[in-house]
Amino acid sequence: MTTNSTINKKRILKNTVYLYLRMLLTIIVGLYASRVLLEKLGFEDYGIYNVVGGVIILFSFLSAALNSATQRFLSVELGRNNTERLSKVFGTSIYIYILLAVMVFVLAETVGLWFLNSQMNFPERRMKAVNWVYQITIITFILNTLRTPYNAGIISYERMSFYALTSIFEAVTKLLIIYLIDKSHIDKLIFYAILVMAVSFVLLIWSVLYCHKYFPYFRFIKNADKSCFKEMFSFSGWSLFGSFASVGASQGTNILLNIFCGVLINAGMGIANQVTNVVNQFVSNFQVAFQPQIVKGYSNNEIENVKKMVYLTSRMSFYLLFVISIPFFINADYILKLWLNDVPDYASAFTSYMLLSLLMETVSAPLYITVQATGKIKSYQIIVSILLLSNLAIGYILLKSGLNPISVVIVRCVITLVLLIYRVIVASKILNFNVFNYVKVVIIKLVIVSVTAYLFSYNLQKMIIIPQFIYIACTSITTLLIIFLIGLSRSEKNILYNMIRAKIKK
């Protein structure tokens, strides 16, 4: 008889392989689009767009907290098969996001606008374009906010094919946008922001129509359910702390770099963020696949299955990301020069440290999803928020004292490691697993795989004289082989082997 854990494991591995191949197209297009965009906008305008967008994203902590709450409540009701409650949760979430959009608009047009024009460091001749881009970005952010509850519903139903199609659409539109930049007679930076806003509008309509067609319970309701409204806000209230701290640590760092170092350094961080976001696409879809399973499993009191899923997804998420990241750890300068004609200052160092931080955050993902599933997040969010905001505070002190900008991302890596340790301890109490056993089964295995792959790749170039591009390809291939040989259990190897064999026969 097939167990639930076996079904979940097969589903996760199947989605991993499927999404891994689908994302290859969007990553290639994304990297090419970023290169051409940097060439057409130039370092200055590219840096301006990244930091102006960062000011708006600072307000996204509200959206992130509510998104987490919406996904959690929808997944719980799906796990309980309570369709009436499911409809109330979704309908109420629409009202909440409309209220959020209004709040963001007010904050952005008051505090945000003042901060943009009085505290930040932009070339005087580009202030008109800066303010135009800022206003357009506000609209784009509101469109994305209104789309969020529909995305949460799709994730809860585990319709991952929708995300594959969305990724392809976004990849194609990126190329179209870059092609159209030169066709406009208005400012390139402003025109680019307008086109990005148009894509966000299309994606909002697409998501709404998809939900209305396939999910009969996801409808706008005339009146929000008061008890549901109160419950969701109570849950998301503590999530606001964590979301604010997370957004503040990432986008706040970009703003600090602008204030102390200027837009050219923002261009370097922008490239690092672009690489990190593109690489993270390989693992983010995988995490989207297991998130509702963890929440549903916990709501059904299937603790042993959830525990196994946490162990498995912590390792698999890391492996997916590490295969793509290791070439950057070995030779980031060469890869960025191969990708870009001109590489902004500090882009290579920023990229390497950002990827290192992302690897540790990836291992943490199933742990904090488990904490969210419990609904008891008050003390957790307070501690996480303090740790994340310390990133911003320490970064300010370091830059104020005149230290190198790289010091900021090094601090981020250290704090991410501390967060991983804390999340392991919290999740161990929830799922009743031994911390040392988790370290042995997950962390030590990841360290062994990483060190082995790094040392082999680092020394490969010294042993054999081969062109750099062949060497880079070899590092990922050999890393995959090392993961298969020492990173997977016997049962995981058999599942993967059977899946590949079935695909070949088909």
Side-chain angles (χ1 to χ4, degrees), residues 91-153:
T92 301
S93 71
I94 297 294
Y95 281 97
I96 293 175
Y97 278 94
I98 292 174
L99 177 62
L100 171 64
V102 174
M103 290 172 61
V104 169
F105 179 80
V106 173
L107 287 172
E109 292 293 359
T110 53
V111 178
L113 194 60
W114 165 80
F115 187 82
L116 183 83
N117 286 282
S118 65
Q119 302 299 311
M120 300 192 69
N121 183 9
F122 297 109
E124 186 64 32
R125 67 183 183 282
R126 298 299 289 153
M127 286 307 299
K128 181 180 178 180
V130 166
N131 279 276
W132 267 103
V133 170
Y134 182 76
Q135 297 298 328
I136 296 166
T137 306
I138 291 173
I139 299 173
T140 304
F141 179 79
I142 291 173
L143 292 172
N144 291 334
T145 298
L146 296 176
R147 178 184 160 206
T148 304
Y150 295 94
N151 280 348

Side-chain angles (χ1 to χ4, degrees), residues 391-402:
N391 189 347
L392 195 58
I394 296 171
Y396 176 85
I397 293 171
L398 294 178
L399 292 175
K400 186 73 173 178
S401 63

Side-chain angles (χ1 to χ4, degrees), residues 311 424-425 428 433-445:
Y311 277 51
V424 170
I425 295 172
S428 69
F433 66 77
N434 186 282
V435 173
F436 294 103
N437 183 58
Y438 178 88
V439 171
K440 177 184 175 182
V441 175
V442 178
I443 303 300
I444 291 179
K445 181 163 283 191

Side-chain angles (χ1 to χ4, degrees), residues 71-268:
Q71 288 186 23
R72 186 259 178 187
F73 279 90
L74 289 176
S75 295
V76 166
E77 300 309 330
L78 278 171
R80 296 171 178 170
N81 199 27
N82 189 340
T83 55
E84 182 180 354
R85 178 71 173 173
L86 180 69
S87 180
K88 288 182 178 179
V89 168
F90 183 81
T92 301
S93 71
I94 297 294
Y95 281 97
I96 293 175
Y97 278 94
I98 292 174
L99 177 62
L100 171 64
V102 174
M103 290 172 61
V104 169
F105 179 80
V106 173
L107 287 172
E109 292 293 359
T110 53
V111 178
L113 194 60
W114 165 80
F115 187 82
L116 183 83
N117 286 282
S118 65
Q119 302 299 311
M120 300 192 69
N121 183 9
F122 297 109
E124 186 64 32
R125 67 183 183 282
R126 298 299 289 153
M127 286 307 299
K128 181 180 178 180
V130 166
N131 279 276
W132 267 103
V133 170
Y134 182 76
Q135 297 298 328
I136 296 166
T137 306
I138 291 173
I139 299 173
T140 304
F141 179 79
I142 291 173
L143 292 172
N144 291 334
T145 298
L146 296 176
R147 178 184 160 206
T148 304
Y150 295 94
N151 280 348
I154 293 165
I155 291 171
S156 300
Y157 267 101
E158 301 182 55
R159 295 295 181 89
M160 304 314 160
S161 58
F162 177 82
Y163 280 93
L165 290 173
T166 302
S167 298
I168 293 172
F169 174 78
E170 289 183 303
V172 172
T173 53
K174 278 183 180 178
L175 292 178
L176 181 61
I177 285 173
I178 291 172
Y179 171 76
L180 292 174
I181 287 177
D182 286 336
K183 306 299 179 182
S184 172
H185 297 292
I186 66 174
D187 187 286
K188 289 183 179 180
L189 182 59
I190 297 173
F191 188 60
Y192 175 72
I194 292 172
L195 293 177
V196 172
M197 178 185 66
V199 172
S200 294
F201 177 76
V202 172
L203 288 173
L204 170 62
I205 300 301
W206 188 5
S207 299
V208 171
L209 293 177
Y210 183 88
C211 285
H212 276 245
K213 181 177 181 179
Y214 292 103
F215 310 132
Y217 305 109
F218 290 172
R219 294 288 188 272
F220 182 81
I221 57 179
K222 291 183 179 180
N223 298 302
D225 185 89
K226 292 182 179 179
S227 63
C228 184
F229 190 93
K230 182 178 179 181
E231 189 177 356
M232 291 181 70
F233 249 111
S234 177
F235 178 87
S236 60
W238 289 109
S239 295
L240 285 173
F241 286 95
S243 298
F244 172 74
S246 179
V247 172
S250 57
Q251 298 304 320
T253 297
N254 204 21
I255 292 172
L256 282 179
L257 289 173
N258 172 263
I259 294 172
F260 287 100
C261 307
V263 293
L264 295 183
I265 298 299
N266 286 130

